[in-house]
Amino acid sequence: MCGIVGYIGYRDAYPIIMKGLQRLEYRGYDSAGIALFDGNQINLSKTKGKVEDLRNKSERDISVNGTLGMGHTRWATHGVPNDVNSHPHYSNSGDLVIIHNGIIENYEAIKTELKKRGYVFESDTDTEVLVNLIEEVKKKEKVKLGKAVQIALNQVVGAYAISVFDKQKPDEIVVAKLGSPLAIGIGDKEFFIASDASPFIEFTNNAVYLEDEEMAIIRPGKEIKLRKIKDDAVAYPMIQELQLNLEEIEKGGYEHFMLKEIYEQPRAIKDTYRGRLLVDQGLIKMSGIDDNLEKFLNANRIIIVACGTSWHAGLVAEYIFEDLARIPVEVEYASEFRYRNPVITSNDVVIAISQSGETADTLAAIKLAKENGAFVFGVCNVVGSSIARETHAGAYTHAGPEIGVASTKAFTTQITILTLLALKLAKEKGKFSESKYHEILTELENIPSKVEKALEANPLVEIIADVYKNSENCLYLGRGYNFPVALEGALKLKEISYIHAEGYPAAEMKHGPIALIDEQMPVIVIATKKGHYEKVVSNIQEIKTRKGKIIAVVTEGDEQVRDLADHVIEVPETLECLSPLLTTIPLQLLSYHIAVMRGCNVDQPRNLAKSVTVE
């Protein structure tokens, strides 16, 4: 995915766009570019590297004047990251300039045809093909930019969020969306364009989120004109008030966004169950469930679709739903779901999980599920996101913006939502006693304070990180509810420190991975008292016998594992079904500190972007 920023109005566009690109750099950071119109010409600068590299280059090489401009920070798909492939891209005439997030799948066929008509291409990108297709349509059909964009987009296959400017029409920008997010901020005689609302939050609290296959013509001082790309039907913008503030998207004194977001988890979990978890009344109130309760109670099974960290949260949910509510659950990689011809019926409930609400594979899985008659429930963090709009019902996690590419608070807040859902269904189905129900409700309410307690281990975790920062491999082991936590811990280490790591059910170690154990192999074992404790202790003894280095995450006061392990990190005691909310905390901190000590870019790990909005 990539980050798009645009401005048209009365202010200087350059500082707005550069600041916006910095806020969107989590969406892609292998190259960046900017185009500014000064009233006479388009001034364009782009470079491989970060937004700060673009700032240095543009202020040196071009005029940064003008009240209209567009910027882009890229996560490369077509064409390697370099200056030429960076956006924005010109058309052959130099009149049109475009920025684009997404993939045009049939760009090669279009490129071949345009070459026959005399067009030449400097880059390897599908985006340069698209801008020249728009130019060809504009010239051939003798139409204005908006109509040319509409006709051209009806000829392409793929996903896009685009912003296009024509210097022959210096008072307007044309934008369009299919599959990739695009928001328009509405000010007083000015408009802002961005992949999400963060670039313009200090200027306006009002925004329009384009729906798929919608386009808009934006002119300062006039109302937005929305059209359907397919049939030219008029669309009416729904203005939303943003639930975001500037303080939430700044680092707040922390060295990295990831560390800030790790420490935000007590607040994020509390915000997620606030108003939903009513312990005194013995109630869980969730309108998305209350309004569709029969769908869940009568479901043959629940299918959870997600990717990455959200998939791991889904695995935890599988344990929770089956253990508490006794509902069969299958957890699917969204990226594989629609390609294996899955069996889906109208008696299935599909839960789609995504932090951003824009994950392309998860959106595709949702559409397939709906086509087959399933009821689809979304769990996401971003209000107004595509998944929130595509699903029949759902619940927001209220984690607040997550800027660090490696998800942390997304994981724990997703588990919180899914736990609330499972508890509510278990209560409705009469699957456990009233006393057990109240015990879990009360303990869930106490989890934020216990996460705060778990965070107090940070100095110890930093010391342990220093011991293992140069490791080449690492194993993570867990059983039951904490097997998915082992997977998530390994993913975090891989993502941000580039150390090869794998997670396994602890009992599976002797079915192959034990061959890797020697004195150079650190093994992180989640060995809390609740659950399969004695079995995990046996696994630890097997590692110890083979001279593996053991880092154990244990319940406070544990002495048995302390005698076996090289390092012990304690977390507060809790119920087994809630333990992932605590055991994941030291694993997040361990990955963070190792990555920092290795000199890695924690918030922007190589080759990754925050949300994968293309296939």
Side-chain angles (χ1 to χ4, degrees), residues 28-267:
Y29 36 85
D30 53 43
S31 54
I34 189 169
L36 299 160
F37 183 67
D38 64 8
N40 296 304
Q41 64 180 12
I42 300 170
N43 296 296
L44 188 148
S45 178
K46 52 188 186 173
T47 184
K48 177 183 176 180
K50 302 295 180 70
V51 171
E52 193 58 34
D53 299 317
L54 174 65
R55 182 189 300 277
N56 295 335
K57 184 176 182 181
S58 59
E59 291 178 1
R60 182 183 68 239
D61 294 348
I62 66 168
S63 166
V64 295
N65 296 320
T67 57
L68 182 152
M70 303 186 301
H72 188 270
T73 180
R74 183 172 185 245
W75 185 72
T77 51
H78 291 85
V80 300
N82 60 29
D83 291 7
V84 175
N85 288 330
S86 304
H87 299 209
H89 287 284
Y90 280 125
S91 64
N92 273 196
S93 71
D95 285 347
L96 306 187
V97 65
I98 190 173
I99 50 178
H100 168 220
N101 176 17
I103 292 178
I104 306 302
E105 296 176 10
N106 61 336
Y107 84 103
E108 284 284 9
I110 297 170
K111 187 174 186 178
T112 299
E113 181 60 31
L114 290 174
K115 281 183 174 179
K116 291 178 183 177
R117 301 183 188 188
Y119 286 83
V120 295
F121 297 90
E122 294 183 357
S123 75
D124 301 317
T125 68
D126 52 345
T127 305
E128 190 184 10
V129 174
L130 179 57
V131 73
N132 280 298
L133 174 62
I134 295 169
E135 177 160 283
E136 173 65 11
V137 169
K138 182 172 178 285
K139 181 171 59 177
K140 183 179 178 181
E141 302 292 334
K142 296 181 173 56
V143 292
K144 295 179 180 178
L145 177 63
K147 191 64 176 178
V149 168
Q150 181 186 11
I151 294 170
L153 292 178
N154 276 298
Q155 297 178 31
V156 304
V157 177
Y160 51 78
I162 62 170
S163 176
V164 191
F165 171 69
D166 179 358
K167 73 177 183 182
Q168 303 302 325
K169 290 280 290 180
D171 63 339
E172 73 177 27
I173 294 176
V174 177
V175 297
K177 172 197 183 305
L178 174 61
S180 296
L182 200 64
I184 303 170
I186 303 171
D188 182 14
K189 298 182 180 179
E190 62 181 347
F191 292 100
F192 306 83
I193 302 158
S195 298
D196 65 41
S198 61
F200 53 76
I201 189 64
E202 63 259 59
F203 300 105
T204 179
N205 287 320
N206 297 317
V208 171
Y209 290 89
L210 289 190
E211 299 287 346
D212 275 352
E213 298 187 335
E214 281 186 353
M215 59 177 291
I217 298 173
I218 303 169
R219 300 188 182 102
K222 298 184 179 180
E223 291 187 352
I224 300 173
K225 288 187 177 180
L226 259 61
R227 296 276 180 183
K228 294 292 185 180
I229 294 168
K230 290 293 185 187
D231 58 13
D232 203 33
V234 175
Y236 296 95
M238 185 176 73
I239 299 174
Q240 298 188 28
E241 185 174 350
L242 299 173
Q243 305 297 313
L244 184 66
N245 63 64
L246 192 57
E247 185 177 304
E248 288 183 311
I249 57 175
E250 303 295 344
K251 289 183 182 175
Y254 288 90
E255 186 177 355
H256 298 96
F257 281 111
M258 182 181 177
L259 186 61
K260 172 177 178 274
E261 288 155 8
I262 289 171
Y263 272 86
E264 284 178 339
Q265 286 174 111
R267 188 273 309 158

Side-chain angles (χ1 to χ4, degrees), residues 305 334 336-345 350 361-376 390 392:
V305 292
E336 286 293 314
F337 185 64
R338 68 182 173 127
Y339 291 112
R340 66 170 190 78
N341 195 23
V343 178
I344 312 168
T345 74
V350 173
D361 289 315
T362 307
L363 278 165
I366 288 169
K367 290 174 183 177
L368 177 62
K370 289 169 69 176
E371 288 167 5
N372 284 272
F375 175 77
V376 185
E390 283 288 337
H392 294 114

Side-chain angles (χ1 to χ4, degrees), residues 315-330:
L315 289 177
V316 176
E318 180 180 19
Y319 283 90
I320 297 171
F321 278 108
E322 294 195 343
D323 185 15
L324 302 185
R326 307 305 295 159
I327 300 173
V329 176
E330 297 175 17

Side-chain angles (χ1 to χ4, degrees), residues 82 128 136 138 247 273 429 442 446 535-536 570 584:
N82 60 29
E128 190 184 10
E136 173 65 11
K138 182 172 178 285
E247 185 177 304
Y273 70 55
K429 292 167 73 73
T442 301
N446 292 332
K535 298 289 188 183
V536 175
E570 293 186 341
T584 195

Side-chain angles (χ1 to χ4, degrees), residues 332-501:
E332 300 265 5
Y333 281 114
S335 54
E336 286 293 314
F337 185 64
R338 68 182 173 127
Y339 291 112
R340 66 170 190 78
N341 195 23
V343 178
I344 312 168
T345 74
S346 58
N347 292 322
D348 293 327
V349 168
V350 173
I351 298 178
I353 312 172
S354 166
Q355 188 282 139
S356 66
E358 302 293 348
T359 309
D361 289 315
T362 307
L363 278 165
I366 288 169
K367 290 174 183 177
L368 177 62
K370 289 169 69 176
E371 288 167 5
N372 284 272
F375 175 77
V376 185
F377 186 88
V379 175
C380 60
N381 186 37
V382 180
V383 177
S385 59
S386 297
I387 286 176
R389 297 195 303 270
E390 283 288 337
T391 48
H392 294 114
Y396 290 116
T397 56
H398 301 307
E402 189 177 67
I403 306 300
V405 166
S407 283
T408 51
K409 62 180 179 175
F411 182 64
T412 49
T413 54
Q414 287 166 354
I415 292 173
T416 302
I417 282 287
L418 295 163
T419 301
L420 288 170
L421 174 51
L423 280 170
K424 186 172 181 66
L425 296 179
K427 178 70 160 55
E428 293 289 338
K429 292 167 73 73
K431 291 300 181 183
F432 48 44
S433 67
E434 196 72 21
S435 61
K436 182 65 175 177
Y437 174 68
H438 279 278
E439 180 188 15
I440 301 174
L441 291 190
T442 301
E443 184 61 13
L444 181 56
E445 186 179 46
N446 292 332
I447 283 293
S449 63
K450 293 190 175 186
V451 172
E452 289 180 351
K453 180 71 173 174
L455 287 166
E456 292 176 8
N458 185 47
L460 171 61
V461 175
E462 189 170 5
I463 292 169
I464 296 170
D466 190 51
V467 177
Y468 297 103
K469 64 187 177 187
N470 294 320
S471 299
E472 295 182 358
N473 301 283
C474 190
L475 291 179
Y476 286 72
L477 304 178
R479 296 190 78 144
Y481 279 92
N482 283 301
F483 161 51
V485 176
L487 294 176
E488 174 62 12
L491 177 62
K492 285 290 138 314
L493 192 67
K494 282 183 280 195
E495 283 180 314
I496 62 172
S497 74
Y498 319 138
I499 294 173
H500 174 250

Side-chain angles (χ1 to χ4, degrees), residues 267 269-278 398 420:
R267 188 273 309 158
I269 293 170
K270 189 176 292 185
D271 284 351
T272 295
Y273 70 55
R274 190 191 309 277
R276 293 164 166 163
L277 177 62
L278 307 176
H398 301 307
L420 288 170

